[in-house]
Amino acid sequence: MFVLAAASRPRSWYIGVRLINMDNNKIVIPSGAQFIIEELAKHGHVAYVVGGCVRDSVLGRNPADWDITTDALPEEVKAIFPVTIDTGIEHGTVTVRIKHVSYEVTTYRIDGDYEDGRHPKDVTFTRSLEEDLKRRDFTINAMAYNDTDGLVDLFGGLEDLKAGVVRAVGNPTERFSEDALRMLRALRFSAQLGFEIEKETFAAIRTLAPTLAKVSAERIQVEVLKLICSDHPERMEQVAMSGLSAVFFPEWDAMLSCKQATVHHCYDVGHHTIVVMQGVPATKTLRLAALLHDVAKPLSKKTDKKGLDHFVGHPSLGAEMAKEIMRRWKLDNATIDEVCRLVRYHDERPELTPRNARRLVHRIGVDYMENLLVLQHADVLGQSDFQREEKLERIELLRSLYHQMLEEEACLQIRDLKVNGQDAMAMGIPKGPQIGEVLEYLLQQVIEEPARNEREYLMGVLEQWKNSEANR
Ligand code: ATP
Ligand code: MG
């Protein structure tokens, strides 16, 4: 399977492009990566840092990781370094550990079809750096660098970086036909970097968007999360315009075309959602909750005789839809659980007595309350000016009630109760689901009246519970 293609050009062919927009035309490479490049050179090989780290260095961004590309075969890499891990050996990737830091070292390769996997189905190793750079998705991701050769930029990546353009390497239609995920990656990079997508590249996306359906949910999830957690979540609008969201998130298209004729709103559901995403910190749960909080509005919209829109029940229907969508994207259960709670309670506006505030904290869960307040605040800022001050004051009051509960170490969850499962069992309540049930019952009593969180009182309630169960 691993055919070694002949080097297509002498190494010097691409040397000497030293346009790099940095001090002394140099990228400062971490010592571990530098060491790997030098060790490989000592053994007669060539190696470069490549891809995202070169792009980010030129932009003055902090690279997430430093990938190395080399003409050495995996076995050759493994023979040189004492600590290596076969990360993706069949795709040419060996992880080299230098002083407890991991670097992925990948042999120059030509990719076969990507099919459904994270990696191409089969790869061909090559001794040509050019071939390796050619298989990469975008010009800005297809540059390599080492101190000896400087920046190797065969496809105008530096120019595109300067102009702020995401452009496919080579023919975009061909490149997106090889791997449809690249279309969503184009949108993701445009959102992370604030770049525009080059015209032909975007046109190819619009044509081939339906083929994203071939790509696995796991791969789509990675790109969607990076996109919505970027500095430009508003690029979700282009995701719809490109036709891509129709494949993995048709609910989004419906949100963008759902008008809201109400004094509370000045945007359609989709654009309101974008403003809310921009208004919350870029964490996975908050951005997902912002993205999905009004997902059920198109389905729950009812227009009254005066032409005003109402969206009764959209938070609870939204929580159900959010769950289905996040399962579709194969998100983890903890994330799904928290986001669904935030969606369900985002519009909760009880009369703000301390008791009602306690009830809300209990229902959403004490650990999720801070995020709920953040989401509610951003939600208001994404609405019209109507009653804005009052709406924000309300949230601040809820926040202060909540913080007061924390300061007073109020009992808000089962583990804060002055009795526990052992006590319930000692009372003769059998081990099993009943223990959880009775403790939840006690908690509800305490939420209603905090003074009830006394051992003697709660033991009395346990006794009553046991007796009433016995008489059932
Ligand atoms: P990030 O900062 O998010 O890690 P990145 O550019 O490093 O961004 P990765 O997904 O880590 O992105 O991929 C590393 C490099 O591998 C890319 O810069 C690109 O050169 C190449 N690459 C990754 N995925 C693809 C793909 N689907 N098609 C072609 N090239 C790809
Ligand atoms: Mg990377």
Side-chain angles (χ1 to χ4, degrees):
M1 186 161 79
F2 304 140
V3 187
L4 200 65
S8 58
R9 289 197 169 83
R11 215 173 265 160
S12 59
W13 183 79
Y14 41 74
I15 293 180
V17 192
R18 285 177 179 274
L19 292 168
I20 199 161
N21 190 15
M22 266 170 293
D23 288 351
N24 310 321
N25 289 346
K26 271 186 103 162
I27 289 179
V28 183
I29 302 177
S31 58
Q34 186 64 26
F35 174 76
I36 294 171
I37 292 172
E38 284 168 11
E39 281 303 294
L40 283 162
K42 274 188 209 157
H43 289 79
H45 295 290
V46 191
Y48 301 84
V49 289
V50 70
C53 62
V54 176
R55 177 197 70 223
D56 289 344
S57 296
V58 175
L59 288 174
R61 293 165 68 99
N62 215 358
D65 37 39
W66 292 79
D67 295 330
I68 293 165
T69 189
T70 178
D71 64 353
L73 291 167
E75 293 308 320
E76 293 171 324
V77 174
K78 286 171 68 174
I80 295 173
F81 300 98
V83 187
T84 64
I85 305 156
D86 289 0
T87 321
I89 195 106
E90 67 276 32
H91 305 105
T93 304
V94 173
T95 295
V96 177
R97 299 272 296 166
I98 305 290
K99 294 193 181 143
H100 309 291
V101 181
S102 294
Y103 296 92
E104 288 200 350
V105 180
T106 305
T107 306
Y108 299 161
R109 67 179 206 215
I110 302 166
D111 291 347
D113 285 347
Y114 269 71
E115 304 241 319
D116 278 358
R118 162 87 178 78
H119 296 291
K121 216 173 73 171
D122 46 36
V123 302
T124 310
F125 295 142
T126 164
R127 293 284 185 192
S128 157
L129 173 63
E130 185 192 356
E131 289 294 338
D132 183 82
L133 295 179
K134 220 159 80 182
R135 66 148 175 113
R136 292 172 186 272
D137 44 9
F138 304 107
T139 62
I140 57 172
N141 288 344
M143 293 184 284
Y145 174 91
N146 69 22
D147 284 347
T148 313
D149 292 347
L151 185 73
V152 182
D153 175 19
L154 307 181
F155 307 102
L158 191 55
E159 218 166 277
D160 285 340
L161 268 188
K162 285 185 188 158
V165 169
V166 179
R167 181 197 310 268
V169 173
N171 179 321
T173 304
E174 281 172 23
R175 304 315 309 285
F176 298 149
S177 305
E178 291 161 5
D179 177 15
L181 184 73
R182 288 173 188 154
M183 299 186 282
L184 190 54
R185 283 173 63 85
L187 272 306
R188 183 263 273 202
F189 287 116
S190 94
Q192 285 184 320
L193 306 171
F195 282 18
E196 294 308 317
I197 298 177
E198 180 269 329
K199 233 171 103 212
E200 278 182 34
T201 302
F202 195 74
I205 296 176
R206 289 189 68 144
T207 309
L208 292 174
T211 64
L212 184 68
K214 291 189 289 191
V215 175
S216 73
E218 289 84 353
R219 295 181 81 209
I220 290 176
Q221 184 212 105
V222 171
E223 302 302 326
V224 172
L225 290 180
K226 285 186 176 175
L227 197 159
I228 64 171
C229 293
S230 71
D231 284 350
H232 299 280
E234 70 276 9
R235 295 293 160 128
M236 276 304 291
E237 191 176 359
Q238 274 81 44
V239 177
M241 279 163 47
S242 66
L244 289 170
S245 49
V247 175
F248 66 94
F249 189 21
E251 296 85 351
W252 174 241
D253 298 30
M255 289 161 79
L256 277 168
S257 51
C258 182
K259 299 264 182 304
Q260 312 193 75
T262 135
V263 280
H264 294 285
H265 281 280
C266 52
Y267 303 114
D268 60 58
V269 175
H271 289 91
H272 159 73
T273 296
I274 284 172
V275 181
V276 180
M277 281 199 284
Q278 288 167 329
V280 298
T283 66
K284 181 162 85 167
T285 29
L286 275 171
R287 287 284 168 95
L288 278 169
L291 177 67
L292 297 170
H293 77 285
D294 276 349
V295 68
K297 274 196 167 176
L299 279 180
S300 33
K301 177 165 152 173
K302 295 265 181 321
T303 308
D304 67 20
K305 284 184 201 128
K306 291 186 194 142
L308 296 177
D309 293 329
H310 303 273
F311 304 92
V312 177
H314 80 275
S316 49
L317 179 60
E320 281 169 37
M321 291 174 68
K323 188 172 183 179
E324 197 268 310
I325 291 164
M326 288 187 285
R327 284 201 172 151
R328 185 192 308 157
W329 296 345
K330 303 267 193 309
L331 276 150
D332 60 283
N333 288 337
T335 304
I336 294 178
D337 179 49
E338 175 166 7
V339 173
C340 287
R341 283 170 194 258
L342 293 169
V343 173
R344 183 177 302 278
Y345 295 110
H346 81 268
D347 215 18
E348 207 79 354
R349 285 180 307 245
E351 189 200 335
L352 280 181
T353 61
R355 177 174 292 162
N356 282 342
R358 277 197 307 277
R359 285 176 177 159
L360 178 58
V361 174
H362 169 232
R363 273 163 64 204
I364 187 163
V366 62
D367 296 339
Y368 307 117
M369 192 60 199
E370 203 68 55
N371 277 348
L372 182 73
L373 291 161
V374 172
L375 179 64
Q376 288 192 334
H377 185 90
D379 194 6
V380 169
L381 295 186
Q383 299 173 2
S384 67
D385 291 346
F386 181 70
Q387 295 180 341
R388 174 169 293 185
E389 287 311 309
E390 294 91 313
K391 290 175 184 173
L392 292 176
E393 269 170 29
R394 238 190 135 269
I395 295 168
E396 282 324 300
L397 178 56
L398 180 56
R399 190 190 302 277
S400 63
L401 286 169
Y402 170 56
H403 286 175
Q404 204 179 329
M405 287 175 219
L406 295 182
E407 260 162 47
E408 290 167 356
E409 297 181 5
C411 172
L412 300 166
Q413 47 193 339
I414 284 173
R415 81 166 105 111
D416 303 330
L417 286 168
K418 292 267 166 66
V419 296
N420 59 26
Q422 298 294 334
D423 298 317
M425 281 188 275
M427 271 291 173
I429 295 168
K431 206 172 170 173
Q434 268 198 31
I435 301 286
E437 253 170 64
V438 71
L439 292 177
E440 182 57 39
Y441 175 75
L442 295 182
L443 178 60
Q444 271 167 24
Q445 304 300 307
V446 173
I447 294 287
E448 293 306 307
E449 192 48 76
R452 290 175 180 160
N453 195 19
E454 288 301 335
R455 206 178 148 73
E456 207 174 313
Y457 175 82
L458 295 176
M459 290 304 274
V461 182
L462 278 175
E463 177 93 56
Q464 281 172 13
W465 167 285
K466 195 191 73 181
N467 293 338
S468 69
E469 284 296 301
N471 296 334
R472 258 217 248 170

